[in-house]
Amino acid sequence: MNRSNIVELKNVSVIYDTLAALQDVNVEVQEGEWLAVMGPSGSGKTTMMNIIGCLDRPTRGTVIFDGEDISGASLKTLTSIRREKIGLIFQQFHLVPYLTALQNVMLAQYYHSLVDEKEALKALERVGLKDRSSHLPKELSGGEQQRVCIARALINYPKLILADEPTGNLDETNESIVVDIFKGLNAEGSTIIVVTHDREVAQRAERVVRLAHGKVVTGRHHRHHHGAHSPQDITRAKPNG
Amino acid sequence: MVALLAVAIGATVFFGMATVYIDVPVRLSTAFRAYGANILLLSEKGLSSEELKEVRNFVPEANLVGLNPYIYKTMLLNSHSVTVTYTDLKEAVLTNPFWQIKGALPSERGEALIGSDLANILEMEEGFTAELGDINQDILFSGVLKTGSGGDNFVYLDISELGDSYLADIAELSVSLSGDNLEEFRTDLTFEFPDITPKLVKRVVNSETAVLKKLQALVLFVTIVVLSLTMICVSTTMTAVVLERLKEIGLKKAIGAESRSILMEFFWSALILGFFGGIIGCFAGFAFANFVSLSVFSVSVDLHLGLAVLSVLISVIFTVIAGMIPVYSASNVNPIMVLRGE
Ligand SMILES: Nc1ncnc2c1ncn2[C@@H]1O[C@H](COP(=O)(O)OP(=O)(O)OP(=O)(O)O)[C@@H](O)[C@H]1O
Ligand SMILES: [Mg+2]
């Protein structure tokens, strides 16, 4: 099966003043893939996610998103790609504090097209938060806030879901709830890219890309497709020495 | 909430000060009438009682403080030659609020007031009687009058002693108008009564106008200073509000909001804020102006509806401008900058 690429980074560099946060990075992500990005702090993971997530433009190199070269696209174009095709999940959740869980989800609908309360409730139900829909973020636990953030990210059926350290602020129980949600989404065909420090989270992805000092160190394909993860897969995903 | 308060305070100051600014001249020209008549009515052939009645009807009731004729006659009082002044004594005390009377105003025929200097010379007091030459009867001095001017050598009799119709030498008119309004009124009067020459009492009128102008300039100055301070306060508060929501703005942009929709959101909230702040400010400003007017002039102010509308309008416009400047730069923030880790 020849799946098309949702994102291609070709020799992408991002340079801040003199510091190269990314250096000649080449990464391809296929549609329907579940990719984990790992690497030490400061290795350029967030920088790469910003490029893929159309939040930033590379200093050099080419970015192809969904078949479109967006390396030099206008901010307006990038905004519309984010709105139409990308769901963002943040380590700090970034919920609007004075809006309820439901309203936070509907916010994404509002900027996308039309608000639809039933749809938004369904999204919350999907992350197991239907009964907490009228709560404010401060009345929710970290895990619950992250699930609201996920519901907001998937409400508009994005082609690509990007999560930068989604479990960084969560305990193990919530971490596994979140990863299970990703698994479900991926099984339904969503492309997911997760930045993580957590080996267990990375092991559940199909493939791991490792960054160090702004360069890709390994980009290793698991042999299987989404779905069942055997213990062997987990072994394969582990770092090579 | 803080922003609403700032806007409301701004509108309060504007509405309150503007009300005071408009009201001060009106109130003061009333207060100024304590300094006496501001118009003298002269006529070559004398002022008939009928003419004066017409003049009285011509003056707007709200502005009429007092109108009284004067007729001067020389008579013998206990064989002294004195000037007797006939005037409408009830009106005269309104026109000349500074008159001091020891005793009482004449209450029936045959009673009179005696000027304080004359009383001294003749060694008389209230309650004394004397023989007045021409009338050939005894009169009772019900009171001693101190006018504070040359009039203290006169004897004052009420004009009613002369019957219903008379021809006055001169008349004093006190109206609560000043500046251009007074000048306009005088012109109207000349037009309406060609036989009468109304003369402004220059000494009184000029100093009043000067005081008024200075006072208005002062109020204007204070208003401008306070208003610019409030404007700075409003825009700082708006900037703080926007900064507080910078993260939210970044998030909205990250999930695909156009800068324009963010601008519009803030535009509407600034509009609503300005509107309600303006309305609250009108009430508070009215209360403030009323308080000032009550404590200074002991009169409540009228509600200027046009001014209220203007205040709301100005507060809306200013809030939108003050709010949109920081919002404009905030709408251009780079979402990755504001959404980066704690
Ligand atoms: N806006 C910026 N200006 C200057 N330097 C930046 C900027 N953003 C990132 N950097 C630098 O680029 C490098 C890569 O940053 P990045 O945030 O991508 O790292 P990361 O892998 O996400 O790290 P972490 O695991 O700590 O989140 C870092 O050295 C960082 O200091
Ligand atoms: Mg990072």
Side-chain angles (χ1 to χ4, degrees):
Chain A
M1 186 174 125
N2 187 17
R3 290 190 293 180
S4 57
N5 286 334
I6 179 105
V7 186
E8 288 175 38
L9 303 187
K10 294 178 186 166
N11 298 315
V12 164
S13 298
V14 175
I15 296 161
Y16 295 115
D17 297 322
T18 54
L19 179 121
L22 284 184
Q23 229 176 326
D24 292 321
V25 167
N26 287 285
V27 170
E28 291 182 9
V29 185
Q30 291 183 334
E31 258 180 58
E33 200 176 4
W34 181 359
L35 176 74
V37 178
M38 292 193 82
S41 186
S43 58
K45 305 182 295 293
T46 297
T47 307
M48 188 170 96
M49 290 296 259
N50 289 340
I51 297 292
I52 295 175
C54 298
L55 286 160
D56 203 358
R57 287 174 291 201
T59 316
R60 277 200 309 270
T62 309
V63 182
I64 313 268
F65 190 98
D66 203 17
E68 196 183 338
D69 184 349
I70 56 158
S71 323
S74 69
L75 289 177
K76 210 175 151 74
T77 311
L78 292 182
T79 302
S80 91
I81 293 176
R82 287 202 300 274
R83 185 169 58 232
E84 303 297 332
K85 298 182 178 174
I86 296 172
L88 292 171
I89 296 164
F90 310 93
Q91 180 175 0
Q92 289 88 10
F93 325 132
H94 294 311
L95 299 176
V96 179
Y98 56 86
L99 297 180
T100 64
L102 184 69
Q103 288 166 336
N104 265 287
V105 175
M106 293 197 299
L107 191 68
Q109 290 179 319
Y110 173 76
Y111 291 119
H112 180 265
S113 45
L114 288 171
V115 284
D116 180 343
E117 194 172 326
K118 271 200 196 119
E119 279 271 319
L121 266 174
K122 261 202 304 198
L124 280 177
E125 188 173 15
R126 168 145 203 200
V127 296
L129 283 180
K130 197 183 182 190
D131 54 333
R132 321 229 56 184
S133 62
S134 60
H135 289 245
L136 290 173
K138 65 165 184 274
E139 299 163 347
L140 299 171
S141 75
E144 287 165 337
Q145 288 185 52
Q146 187 57 294
R147 282 186 273 158
V148 175
C149 181
I150 294 171
R152 180 180 65 192
L154 56 86
I155 188 70
N156 296 319
Y157 305 102
K159 283 198 147 179
L160 177 62
I161 293 173
L162 293 179
D164 194 347
E165 309 247 17
T167 58
N169 285 344
L170 304 184
D171 63 8
E172 270 171 42
T173 320
N174 279 297
E175 178 180 297
S176 77
I177 293 172
V178 165
V179 175
D180 285 339
I181 294 171
F182 285 162
K183 184 180 158 190
L185 287 171
N186 182 238
E188 286 165 24
S190 291
T191 314
I192 301 176
I193 305 179
V194 183
V195 167
T196 184
H197 273 122
D198 192 309
R199 211 165 279 167
E200 287 182 29
V201 174
Q203 278 163 358
R204 301 211 29 201
E206 271 177 72
R207 179 160 70 103
V208 179
V209 166
R210 289 177 179 283
L211 288 179
H213 304 295
K215 290 181 178 164
V216 177
V217 189
T218 52
R220 208 165 181 286
H221 271 281
H222 296 190
R223 213 188 287 139
H224 67 89
H225 269 146
H226 29 74
H229 288 86
S230 63
Q232 294 99 296
D233 294 327
I234 293 169
T235 329
R236 280 195 197 101
K238 277 184 177 169
N240 300 341
Chain B
M1 214 50 232
V2 185
L4 183 68
L5 199 70
V7 174
I9 289 171
T12 303
V13 170
F14 178 77
F15 185 76
M17 289 306 232
T19 305
V20 169
Y21 183 78
I22 291 174
D23 248 59
V24 155
V26 180
R27 299 302 163 211
L28 272 189
S29 39
T30 308
F32 277 145
R33 296 285 44 82
Y35 302 113
N38 44 5
I39 297 181
L40 287 182
L41 300 178
L42 310 171
S43 176
E44 294 206 348
K45 56 177 186 53
L47 300 147
S48 73
S49 46
E50 284 74 29
E51 258 179 324
L52 286 176
K53 220 171 259 162
E54 281 170 36
V55 170
R56 170 179 289 276
N57 290 334
F58 178 74
V59 181
E61 201 173 336
N63 292 325
L64 179 66
V65 179
L67 169 62
N68 55 304
Y70 287 101
I71 298 170
Y72 301 100
K73 288 188 173 158
T74 309
M75 293 185 197
L76 287 176
L77 180 71
N78 283 356
S79 70
H80 292 273
S81 175
V82 297
T83 304
V84 174
T85 306
Y86 290 90
T87 186
D88 186 336
L89 285 171
K90 283 203 189 66
E91 287 286 315
V93 292
L94 297 176
T95 317
N96 304 291
F98 45 85
W99 276 12
Q100 289 174 355
I101 297 168
K102 196 155 146 264
L105 275 178
S107 55
E108 41 190 281
R109 287 186 74 102
E111 290 187 355
L113 293 175
I114 180 165
S116 57
D117 289 353
L118 187 61
N120 272 343
I121 295 166
L122 301 181
E123 296 181 331
M124 285 191 172
E125 279 179 24
E126 69 270 25
F128 278 52
T129 53
E131 196 189 342
L132 195 59
D134 288 20
I135 303 180
N136 237 343
Q137 67 169 70
D138 278 359
I139 51 161
L140 169 69
F141 292 123
S142 65
V144 177
L145 170 65
K146 214 177 166 95
T147 64
S149 64
D152 288 353
N153 287 319
F154 300 167
V155 168
Y156 291 82
L157 276 167
D158 198 75
I159 196 105
S160 59
E161 302 269 356
L162 297 175
D164 280 343
S165 87
Y166 50 81
L167 203 60
D169 299 323
I170 193 170
E172 268 186 345
L173 174 58
S174 178
V175 287
S176 56
L177 293 170
S178 52
D180 294 342
N181 293 338
L182 182 62
E183 185 54 46
E184 200 175 300
F185 173 72
R186 194 191 70 96
T187 314
D188 290 350
L189 211 57
T190 317
F191 192 76
E192 190 72 20
F193 304 99
D195 289 343
I196 299 176
T197 315
K199 277 209 147 67
L200 298 185
V201 184
K202 276 271 159 30
R203 186 177 50 85
V204 173
V205 171
N206 286 353
S207 56
E208 276 178 26
T209 311
V211 168
L212 256 185
K213 287 244 161 74
K214 276 183 189 155
L215 216 80
Q216 269 194 314
L218 185 71
V219 172
L220 191 69
F221 177 73
V222 171
T223 307
I224 289 172
V225 168
V226 176
L227 211 58
S228 14
L229 286 179
T230 353
M231 280 177 172
I232 292 169
C233 179
V234 170
S235 71
T236 332
T237 316
M238 293 300 283
T239 309
V241 168
V242 171
L243 277 181
E244 210 170 86
R245 292 175 65 180
L246 204 58
K247 233 184 174 131
E248 176 192 328
I249 294 170
L251 178 269
K252 286 176 172 173
K253 290 193 74 177
I255 65 172
E258 304 271 0
S259 303
R260 197 164 41 90
S261 28
I262 286 164
L263 279 176
M264 285 314 285
E265 273 171 47
F266 276 91
F267 175 78
W268 287 116
S269 39
L271 202 78
I272 292 167
L273 189 73
F275 182 72
F276 284 106
I279 286 183
I280 294 173
C282 278
F283 281 106
F286 183 66
F288 168 73
N290 221 355
F291 170 75
V292 169
S293 184
L294 274 176
S295 53
V296 179
F297 303 116
S298 318
V299 231
S300 56
V301 294
D302 303 326
L303 180 66
H304 299 273
L305 218 63
L307 190 63
V309 172
L310 185 73
S311 315
V312 173
L313 211 69
I314 285 184
S315 98
V316 165
I317 291 172
F318 186 75
T319 312
V320 167
I321 293 174
M324 290 324 270
I325 294 168
V327 172
Y328 184 75
S329 47
S331 76
N332 286 322
V333 291
N334 186 345
I336 61 176
M337 287 313 199
V338 283
L339 295 184
R340 261 204 309 198
E342 319 287 61

